[in-house]
Amino acid sequence: MGFRRGFLSAIGLAVALLSCTVAAREAPPLPNAQALALVRQIMAEQRIPGLQIAVIRDGRVVLSENLGYANVENRVPVTAATLFPINSATKSFTAVAVMQLVEAGKVELDAPISRYLDDLPEAWRDLRVRQLLAHTSGLPDIVGPDGLIGGGDEAAAWRAVAALPLEAHPGERFAYNQTNYGLLARIIVKQTGRPYEQFLAERQFAAVGMPRTAFGDSYDLVPNAATIYSLSPRGTLAKDDADRLSHWFYDIPYSLWSGGGLQTTAEELSRWLMALSAGRMVGDDALRRMWTPERLNSGAPGDWGLGWPVLRSAPVREVAGIGGARAAFIVYPDEGLAVVVLTNLAGANPQRFIPRIAALYRELASPSR
């Protein structure tokens, strides 16, 4: 009897091993080589100095590469430790922070913001928290074509924007602006009793393993930060003015860090995305709200969910973080796929070529569940 059991166990093990071997033989190889070839081609075509890419499939990173130069003039290569600004993609992190407070019972999405903030202009008092997150508040923008409005410092800019009328009836239309996220940072501070950046560091960066991620802009001394470049003409008399690489400076005031102040790496951003998708940051309902277009008063869908641009709702969802025309991540939740591309060229617009990278992996991604 013992011999029979041992014999059958051996047969079972052999069948299992054979099945695994066949499955491994039949599993298509990951298209990492094609993806890297495509990225190198795009870098050459667009003259992108430096880039980080990460591809997440079914809850794990299957591609992570660092290419080119973090600083061209000193020939400093991009490494896994190089920090890239993600600018407006920071809004996705702010949205997660707000949803964490919603789940803790400290914020209500449909509450008027006057419940949490004092000294608001009368026209702002009845705006809803969700309208700030989705850019449907109708608020005027604190940032104009030349930077902060008001002609002075941050305090002057806030006084200037508070004196302006609403640009649309709340909920009437989508209109992207930075005032919304400056107010959300104030709500986070008021409801947690901690600085905005500290709350994110504790509840998100430390929770998922993002020790290098930091806040700052071109004027801040951020270790390992990539130098940002542009190919835009500067209007000089130099004969190569329209075709030369030059430094690109950007300014993110402290009160607007919540809308665009983060610097991070593709590796750390991948950890955050995997934790978020796995329900380790917020629950399923919060994730659904963030990744579903907010409805306008007319019933039509807006361009954003809560803190996230929604590129497509059906048949397969695509949501994104896009910042500074040089950094982006696109998540395909129903396919278990996400692609992160961070660059140091203003105007690289990786959100435009990420779908080409994703297409190489989409057939291998998990079916809709």
Side-chain angles (χ1 to χ4, degrees):
M1 192 68 173
F3 170 79
R4 179 177 172 79
R5 278 199 301 268
F7 178 74
L8 290 177
S9 297
I11 292 291
L13 178 61
V15 170
L17 289 174
L18 180 60
S19 298
C20 290
T21 302
V22 171
R25 191 183 302 130
E26 292 177 350
L30 289 166
N32 291 345
Q34 297 98 307
L36 285 175
L38 174 60
V39 168
R40 289 190 174 99
Q41 174 189 331
I42 292 169
M43 289 181 72
E45 291 171 351
Q46 296 190 202
R47 296 171 60 186
I48 299 172
L51 177 151
Q52 290 176 340
I53 179 174
V55 177
I56 302 166
R57 178 175 175 246
D58 296 336
R60 66 187 185 94
V61 176
V62 296
L63 175 65
S64 181
E65 289 288 340
N66 313 291
L67 305 170
Y69 290 103
N71 180 275
V72 173
E73 56 269 35
N74 295 308
R75 312 295 281 180
V76 178
V78 174
T79 70
T82 303
L83 293 173
F84 288 82
I86 64 170
N87 294 89
S88 290
T90 305
K91 292 177 173 67
S92 299
F93 284 79
T94 299
V96 169
V98 171
M99 298 308 284
Q100 288 174 331
L101 295 178
V102 169
E103 292 184 334
K106 294 183 177 181
V107 170
E108 291 184 20
L109 292 174
D110 280 308
I113 63 173
S114 57
R115 179 183 297 180
Y116 310 110
L117 301 176
D118 302 322
D119 302 323
L120 292 170
E122 187 62 33
W124 296 17
R125 294 182 60 80
D126 289 333
L127 300 176
R128 309 295 161 172
V129 174
R130 60 180 173 79
Q131 292 171 335
L132 301 184
L133 285 162
H135 294 295
T136 61
S137 66
L139 283 169
D141 199 344
I142 192 171
V143 177
D146 300 317
L148 289 175
I149 66 172
D153 57 18
E154 285 181 72
W158 279 105
R159 289 192 296 271
V161 75
L164 296 174
L166 292 180
E167 296 184 349
H169 188 74
E172 182 177 89
R173 61 182 174 88
F174 170 87
Y176 180 86
N177 79 54
Q178 305 301 334
T179 312
N180 292 318
Y181 279 75
L183 292 175
L184 287 168
R186 293 186 187 183
I187 291 173
I188 291 169
V189 170
K190 185 71 176 293
Q191 295 308 103
T192 65
R194 301 198 287 282
Y196 162 84
E197 65 273 20
Q198 182 182 339
F199 182 70
L200 264 68
E202 293 173 356
R203 292 295 303 275
Q204 297 186 52
F205 308 160
V208 304
M210 303 176 72
R212 295 190 178 98
T213 298
F215 286 93
D217 60 19
S218 293
Y219 299 94
D220 292 309
L221 304 182
V222 180
N224 296 316
T227 303
I228 307 303
Y229 299 94
S230 171
L231 292 166
S232 301
R234 292 166 52 192
T236 74
L237 294 176
K239 58 185 177 182
D240 62 346
D241 181 71
D243 191 43
R244 64 174 171 176
L245 197 67
S246 58
H247 286 194
W248 177 270
F249 297 97
Y250 71 100
D251 181 16
I252 307 290
Y254 176 75
S255 63
L256 299 180
W257 274 3
S258 52
L262 269 183
Q263 297 197 32
T264 189
T265 71
E267 179 181 301
E268 294 195 357
L269 189 47
S270 296
R271 293 176 195 159
W272 183 79
L273 287 170
M274 288 187 292
L276 184 64
S277 297
R280 290 169 47 204
M281 306 296 293
V282 294
D284 290 343
D285 185 62
L287 202 58
R288 178 187 58 79
R289 288 295 303 265
M290 289 192 296
W291 290 352
T292 301
E294 180 72 6
R295 293 284 172 179
L296 305 177
N297 296 342
S298 65
D303 292 351
W304 277 45
L306 303 183
W308 292 70
V310 180
L311 307 183
R312 183 178 299 177
S313 298
V316 176
R317 291 179 296 167
E318 297 178 17
V319 296
I322 301 170
R326 56 182 173 269
F329 48 88
I330 298 180
V331 181
Y332 304 84
D334 303 317
E335 298 176 295
L337 179 65
V339 180
V340 178
V341 175
L342 309 181
T343 83
N344 59 348
L345 179 68
N349 289 302
Q351 71 276 9
R352 296 178 182 170
F353 60 79
I354 283 177
R356 296 172 62 189
I357 300 169
L360 298 172
Y361 293 86
R362 292 182 75 176
E363 290 185 2
L364 305 176
S366 296
S368 181
R369 289 182 287 271

